[in-house]
Amino acid sequence: MDSSKPFSTIAADHSSSREPLKVESNGEAAISLQEWRGWGTTSTVPSMVTQVVEDLNMLEKNVDAQMVFGGNHGKLSGDFKVQEDKKHRAKYQSLGDSEQKLQFFSARQIACRVLGSRGYLCQKCWLSSGDCMCSKLITCPLWNRMRFWLYMHPKDFLRQNNTGKLLWQVFGVQAATLCLYGITEHEDMMWDALKLAGKDKVWCLYPNKNAPTNSVKDSMAGLSFANVENHPEMAGGAHSLNFILIDGTWSNSGAMFSRLKDRYKLMWGEEEIPCITLNTGASLMHKLRPQPSWDRTCTAAAAIGLLDELHDLPNFVSYGLDKQAKALEDAVEVLFEALTIRRLRMGRSITRKQRHNRDIF
C-alpha cells in the first residue's frame, strides 16, 4: 500500500465481476489537480467537490466504518453508506434553494465517482484497466474554427459506455471541452467562452419540440470564414463556432436544456438558445444501448452527423470535416468493440433491453 497517496485503494479487476473497492484514508483526503484533469477536464478542482471529499474523510474518522465503493459508478456500500446517506440527506434538506441543492448533488455524484474509480478505471478512456482501449484510439485535430462543449450530467461522468468522452480523446480537450452540469467552475468557464464568441456563434444540438429548430444547412450555409482564414492572427475563441452537446439521459436532458436556456437569456436577453436538428440515423452503439427511438442517437454519433452535414456545404467543404467525422466514427467502433468483448468475457448479453437510455440525441 502506497502511504504517499491521500487515498490508497484495494481493488480486484476480475473478469466476471467487480469486487467492492475499499478506500482507506490517511487523513489527507484530496483530489489533486493532476488527477482531476486526468479524467478529461480542463478546470481547477471544483470547490464543492473538494468539500465533499473532505466531508467524506471526516465522516470516516468519526464512524466505525471504512469508506467502501461497489459497482462501476462510484456508489458507496456497506456500513459507511448507511452513515453517509443520513449525513448527506440532512445536508441536502438544510440547503436554502434549488441552486444550492443542485450544486451539492452534482458535487457529491462527481466526488464519489472519482474516489470510487481510483485504481479501477483508466483515466483516459473510462474503461476498466483490463479493457483499456487507449492504444487503439487515433487522434485527429479538429478544424480550428470549431469547438464542441460536452454538457454532461454528473450521472454520466465516468460511465464506461459514455460516448461523449470520445470527442476529447480524438480531438483534444481544447477542441472538445467537458462541462459538468451543476458545477459552477465548469459552467462559468463555458459561458465565459461563449460570451467571447458571441451569440451568433453558439448553437445547441438538441431536438427541441417546444421551440423552432433549424437544420445544419439553414443555420450554417451563409457563414464565411475567408477573413479569419486569411489572417491567422485572428485565431482564437472569438472566431470559433461553438456547439453544445447535451450528454445525459433523455429524462435528465430537459432540466439540462432549461438550465442552458436560463443562462442564455441571462447573458443575451433572448428566450431561446438556437437549436440545430440533424439527419442522423442509428448509431453502432444502438446495438449495446438502445435509444428511445431510431431517430435519436448517441452523443458521438450526433457530433459525427454534424461534421458530415457541415462538410456537405460548399462553404465548409475545404476544412476536412469528413476526415474528422471518420476519425470519430472509428473511435466509436473501438469503444463498441471494447464493450462487446468485456460483456462476452463476463458472460453477459451484448444487447440490452430498452431501459435507462444514455445520451439524448
Side-chain angles (χ1 to χ4, degrees):
M1 187 178 298
D2 183 357
S3 61
S4 67
K5 295 181 179 180
F7 278 98
S8 297
T9 60
I10 305 173
D13 186 14
H14 295 293
S15 61
S16 59
S17 64
R18 180 187 173 192
E19 295 293 329
L21 177 60
K22 184 179 294 185
V23 181
E24 299 177 352
S25 168
N26 67 4
E28 298 294 334
I31 297 174
S32 69
L33 180 62
Q34 180 180 5
E35 179 185 12
W36 176 244
R37 291 186 173 176
W39 294 112
T41 80
T42 59
S43 73
T44 57
V45 184
S47 58
M48 287 197 68
V49 171
T50 297
Q51 183 61 56
V52 169
V53 174
E54 291 175 353
D55 290 345
L56 289 170
N57 185 55
M58 184 61 66
L59 180 63
E60 189 180 34
K61 290 180 179 179
N62 295 334
V63 300
D64 186 22
Q66 286 184 316
M67 196 185 310
V68 178
F69 294 88
N72 297 331
H73 307 137
K75 294 181 180 179
L76 289 162
S77 63
D79 294 338
F80 185 85
K81 170 180 166 51
V82 176
Q83 299 295 326
E84 197 277 336
D85 272 350
K86 295 177 182 177
K87 183 176 177 64
H88 95 254
R89 290 178 189 277
K91 181 171 183 177
Y92 184 86
Q93 292 299 325
S94 71
L95 297 174
D97 56 44
S98 59
E99 179 62 24
Q100 289 179 321
K101 290 181 176 181
L102 171 61
Q103 291 179 11
F104 174 69
F105 162 81
S106 296
R108 180 180 173 275
Q109 283 283 331
I110 291 163
C112 287
R113 285 166 187 266
V114 170
L115 298 183
S117 299
R118 282 175 169 172
Y120 176 61
L121 294 185
C122 168
Q123 284 192 283
K124 300 297 183 183
C125 67
W126 298 2
L127 298 183
S128 62
S129 56
D131 299 308
C132 177
M133 65 181 194
C134 291
S135 63
K136 298 180 181 179
L137 288 173
I138 299 175
T139 60
C140 174
L142 185 66
W143 177 46
N144 63 3
R145 298 278 69 78
M146 190 171 181
R147 187 174 190 181
F148 286 111
W149 293 93
L150 280 301
Y151 192 45
M152 186 178 293
H153 195 276
K155 288 189 174 182
D156 280 84
F157 183 57
L158 303 189
R159 280 193 177 273
Q160 296 187 60
N161 65 359
N162 178 277
T163 66
K165 63 188 177 185
L166 297 174
L167 273 75
W168 66 76
Q169 289 178 319
V170 173
F171 300 135
V173 295
Q174 298 304 322
T177 305
L178 174 63
C179 176
L180 288 163
Y181 170 71
I183 298 299
T184 300
E185 290 86 345
H186 274 218
E187 293 181 326
D188 286 349
M189 174 183 65
M190 180 175 75
W191 285 102
D192 286 347
L194 298 182
K195 183 178 181 180
L196 177 63
K199 66 178 181 179
D200 60 330
K201 296 186 180 68
V202 176
W203 297 268
C204 182
L205 273 68
Y206 187 73
N208 182 17
K209 296 180 179 180
N210 299 318
T213 56
N214 291 316
S215 66
V216 172
K217 182 178 180 180
D218 291 338
S219 301
M220 304 291 163
L223 297 181
S224 173
F225 306 95
N227 189 43
V228 175
E229 297 298 329
N230 292 332
H231 295 81
E233 70 275 8
M234 297 178 67
H239 299 283
S240 294
L241 307 181
N242 292 266
F243 298 95
I244 304 170
L245 295 165
I246 298 179
D247 196 354
T249 64
W250 277 99
S251 59
N252 289 327
S253 68
M256 297 172 74
F257 182 66
S258 293
R259 190 168 176 84
L260 290 174
K261 285 177 57 179
D262 290 345
R263 192 70 176 259
Y264 188 88
K265 182 179 179 181
L266 182 65
M267 180 170 290
W268 285 305
E270 296 186 5
E271 294 289 340
E272 299 294 341
I273 184 171
C275 290
I276 292 177
T277 56
L278 302 170
N279 296 319
T280 54
S283 165
L284 179 66
M285 294 297 291
H286 274 252
K287 296 180 181 179
L288 293 178
R289 190 184 56 193
Q291 298 294 326
S293 62
W294 285 97
D295 62 341
R296 299 176 182 177
T297 191
C298 68
T299 304
I304 293 167
L306 175 64
L307 291 168
D308 279 335
E309 290 189 44
L310 285 173
H311 177 72
D312 290 337
L313 300 178
N315 53 327
F316 285 88
V317 72
S318 63
Y319 302 127
L321 300 182
D322 57 334
K323 295 180 177 61
Q324 295 152 41
K326 181 60 167 61
L328 189 54
E329 187 175 2
D330 290 344
V332 172
E333 292 181 1
V334 170
L335 175 60
F336 176 81
E337 179 183 9
L339 293 174
T340 299
I341 292 173
R342 181 174 185 271
R343 288 188 180 185
L344 290 173
R345 188 184 68 243
M346 297 174 68
R348 296 168 55 192
S349 171
I350 61 172
T351 59
R352 288 178 58 186
K353 295 180 180 180
Q354 188 163 328
R355 63 189 183 95
H356 302 313
N357 304 299
R358 298 288 121 205
D359 300 351
I360 61 90
F361 284 96

